[in-house]
């Protein structure tokens, strides 16, 4: 049986959800809850014990979240531009999922779907469960 390399394991565990979980566990808001150690935090993220790197990863995550929130706030209430429409349609036709396009344009998935429907782009079918016979 093939084993996963450390970098592959780290890549799988280094998700935004896991990083947010580690941040919450390092600084719990509940009364009487004990924070986890940085060593435990590194294990959750699948990385070697390195507090400097852990701090950098957490800071980059917080910066990325702040930048995303600011960009979404700037675009809130503004109509989609022609350049954005072209980008959305071309990316979708090249096979990108709506979620990825949403992140790239800082627009909601509903707006992306609305643009695709407005310009009559055929939507891909999601996972559908086949009837059991």
């Amino acid at each position: 049986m093939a084993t996963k390399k450390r970098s592959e394991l780290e890549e799988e565990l280094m998700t935004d959800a896991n990083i947010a979980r580690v941040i919450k566990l390092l600084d719990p808001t509940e009364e009487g809850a004990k924070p986890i150690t940085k060593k435990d935090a590194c294990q959750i993220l699948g990385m070697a014990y390195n507090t400097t790197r852990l701090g950098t990863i957490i800071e980059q995550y917080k910066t990325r979240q702040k930048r995303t929130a600011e960009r979404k706030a700037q675009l809130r209430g503004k109509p989609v531009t022609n350049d954005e429409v072209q980008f959305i349609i071309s990316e979708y036709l090249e096979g990108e999922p709506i979620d990825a396009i949403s992140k790239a344009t800082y627009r909601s998935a509903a707006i992306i779907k609305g643009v695709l429907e407005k310009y009559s782009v055929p939507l891909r079918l999601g996972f559908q469960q086949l009837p059991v016979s």
Side-chain angles (χ1 to χ4, degrees):
M1 177 162 69
T3 59
K4 291 188 178 189
K5 292 181 182 175
R6 185 159 195 71
S7 61
E8 291 173 354
L9 178 65
E10 182 178 314
E11 202 171 294
E12 285 180 13
L13 296 175
M14 198 71 67
T15 62
D16 283 352
N18 266 351
I19 296 171
R21 181 173 153 234
V22 163
I23 291 170
K24 185 176 180 181
L25 291 173
L26 283 170
D27 188 25
T29 56
E30 298 174 13
E31 187 69 30
K34 281 181 58 177
I36 63 171
T37 64
K38 290 185 178 182
K39 185 173 184 177
D40 291 338
C42 290
Q43 287 177 342
I44 290 171
L45 296 176
M47 59 184 265
Y49 179 63
N50 184 336
T51 58
T52 305
R53 183 164 178 239
L54 177 65
T56 302
I57 289 169
I58 290 172
E59 285 306 311
Q60 287 174 347
Y61 172 80
K62 287 179 179 179
T63 303
R64 192 169 55 247
Q65 294 300 315
K66 182 179 176 186
R67 185 176 52 241
T68 300
E70 288 172 355
R71 187 68 179 129
K72 284 185 176 187
Q74 287 175 347
L75 294 174
R76 190 170 292 120
K78 293 185 180 177
V80 179
T81 65
N82 288 335
D83 289 338
E84 287 177 311
V85 169
Q86 290 175 350
F87 177 78
I88 290 167
I89 292 172
S90 67
E91 289 296 303
Y92 187 76
L93 292 176
E94 288 176 8
E96 287 295 317
I98 290 176
D99 183 48
I101 299 169
S102 174
K103 287 180 182 176
T105 59
Y106 299 100
R107 299 284 189 165
S108 70
I111 289 178
I112 304 300
K113 286 180 184 178
V115 167
L116 296 173
E117 289 173 1
K118 179 179 178 181
Y119 292 94
S120 303
V121 177
L123 297 177
R124 294 187 291 265
L125 297 177
F127 173 76
Q128 293 180 348
Q129 188 174 3
L130 299 174
V132 178
S133 52

